[in-house]
Amino acid sequence: MNVERLAEMANDIGAFFVSAESRAAVAGIADHIGKFWTPRMREQLTEQLPQIGDGIDSCAAALLRLAVQTRSKAQPAVAA
């Protein structure tokens, strides 16, 4: 899927939750993306996050950065 479209979709989700408190907004975005986006959609947008810059809502960007940090901590080290 087109990364710009993924960013637009994430922004739409963020706008829906914008009236909520910051933590609730991030939780709502996380819940929605976790339920309805495929792993590949999440990976695509997360991989391109640095290049998107201001093209993505701050709550959605925070969520994706947190997901990257959580995923990297959760992955076991691979023996060489």
Side-chain angles (χ1 to χ4, degrees):
M1 185 173 267
N2 180 303
V3 174
E4 287 82 17
R5 178 66 183 129
L6 292 174
E8 184 180 316
M9 290 167 54
N11 287 340
D12 290 344
I13 296 163
F16 178 81
F17 290 102
V18 77
S19 63
E21 188 175 317
S22 181
R23 286 184 184 174
V26 171
I29 295 166
D31 182 59
H32 181 92
I33 289 175
K35 285 181 180 176
F36 301 108
W37 285 30
T38 65
R40 182 62 188 137
M41 290 168 68
R42 293 188 297 267
E43 289 169 12
Q44 273 185 285
L45 188 55
T46 301
E47 289 168 1
Q48 296 298 316
L49 194 56
Q51 290 79 19
I52 295 170
D54 292 338
I56 190 165
D57 176 81
S58 61
C59 284
L63 163 74
L64 291 166
R65 286 188 189 98
L66 179 61
V68 169
Q69 292 171 353
T70 302
R71 187 174 63 224
S72 65
K73 290 178 185 176
Q75 290 178 344
V78 176

